[in-house]
Amino acid sequence: MGERYLRWRTVSRANRTRAERKSPEERSAEIQDAARSIALSGGLTAITLRSVAAQAGVTPALVAHYQPSMESLVASTFTAVVRTELADVASLLGPFPTATERLAHLIDTLQDGSRDDLTLVWVDAWSLGRRSDLLASAVRTQMDAWEALITDVLVEGCDAGEFSTGDPDTVAWQLLGMIDGLNAQSLVHYRDAPSRGRLIARAIEHELGLSPGALTAAAAAPRR
């Protein structure tokens, strides 16, 4: 029994020594990656000291050492997840040659039902942000970034004569609000994804002076 205990102590000490060899930067990145994984699988509300520690394979005390504020970790996790989403969508839109096609595929991509994990992150952020100024500020910053992406597409369409609106900023805000609202509804399976996409497309077609069905047709057309 004594020999077995000594062997266990030796292995345990060796494991701790190996863990301690990670640099502070590596350990911090490991914890942040764990938080992002948790957010995408269970939302921001699932990020706790214990859940992050378990995901990263470290102790809660070590998480607290590198992330003394869970409020800060939640806010930075939200920002990291949403920045990645925005970059992915911007990259997806890049190859389309016209603003109409880019706008159509933007709506289709954000309403096709494949991003429920990201929608949950957003919904949790709006809810938790009521009691966290840090998170609320992060949410507003990322909403501004999304609105800027949409506005750029609308301005390009106006400059090319594809769209007709004197206020692309307001139309972008309207579109963002519709996308956010209908995506939130999708979490409880209210209506189906194609219906939600068509509802948004019809409203925005009207705002931009497009013929009915123009955005739906553009989304369905093969990429050139």
Side-chain angles (χ1 to χ4, degrees):
M1 183 68 178
E3 290 180 1
R4 185 180 304 168
Y5 175 75
L6 288 174
R7 284 198 300 270
W8 175 84
R9 285 293 301 272
T10 300
V11 172
S12 178
R13 188 178 297 113
N15 287 338
R16 288 199 301 272
T17 300
R18 282 195 295 270
E20 289 165 0
R21 286 176 184 163
K22 288 191 176 180
S23 70
E25 293 77 15
E26 289 174 318
R27 188 65 74 186
S28 181
E30 187 177 66
I31 290 170
Q32 291 166 1
D33 287 345
R36 285 193 288 271
S37 177
I38 291 168
L40 289 170
S41 61
L44 295 179
T45 58
I47 297 176
T48 67
L49 198 63
R50 291 184 179 278
S51 68
V52 173
Q55 180 71 26
V58 299
T59 66
L62 191 62
V63 174
H65 173 73
Y66 284 97
Q67 296 288 337
S69 167
M70 291 305 293
E71 179 186 21
S72 176
L73 179 59
V74 168
S76 64
T77 299
F78 166 79
T79 297
V81 167
V82 173
R83 278 179 176 168
T84 299
E85 177 194 19
L86 182 59
D88 287 346
V89 172
S91 176
L92 181 151
L93 300 181
F96 293 101
T98 69
T100 301
E101 289 173 293
R102 288 194 290 278
L103 181 60
H105 283 276
L106 171 71
I107 295 171
D108 186 62
T109 296
L110 297 179
Q111 289 293 310
D112 66 4
S114 66
R115 296 172 178 265
D116 283 354
D117 53 350
L118 294 162
T119 297
L120 179 57
V121 169
W122 275 103
V123 170
D124 279 354
W126 290 320
S127 179
L128 295 174
R130 295 176 302 155
R131 297 183 177 86
S132 169
D133 291 339
L134 194 61
L135 179 57
S137 177
V139 171
R140 290 191 297 269
T141 297
Q142 295 311 311
M143 291 182 73
D144 284 344
W146 270 101
E147 188 176 331
L149 173 67
I150 298 171
T151 299
D152 286 347
V153 174
L154 298 186
V155 170
E156 289 168 5
C158 290
D159 290 345
E162 298 176 51
F163 305 149
S164 176
T165 177
D167 193 357
D169 289 330
T170 298
V171 176
W173 184 18
Q174 177 183 347
L175 175 54
L176 183 63
M178 293 181 69
I179 288 171
D180 287 341
L182 291 180
N183 274 341
Q185 292 181 7
S186 75
L187 293 180
V188 292
H189 309 293
Y190 187 70
R191 305 298 177 91
D192 58 88
S195 296
R196 292 191 295 269
R198 286 193 297 269
L199 181 65
I200 292 177
R202 282 198 297 269
I204 300 303
E205 285 163 356
H206 175 75
E207 293 294 333
L208 297 178
L210 293 169
S211 59
L215 290 174
T216 303
R223 184 181 303 186
R224 288 179 284 171

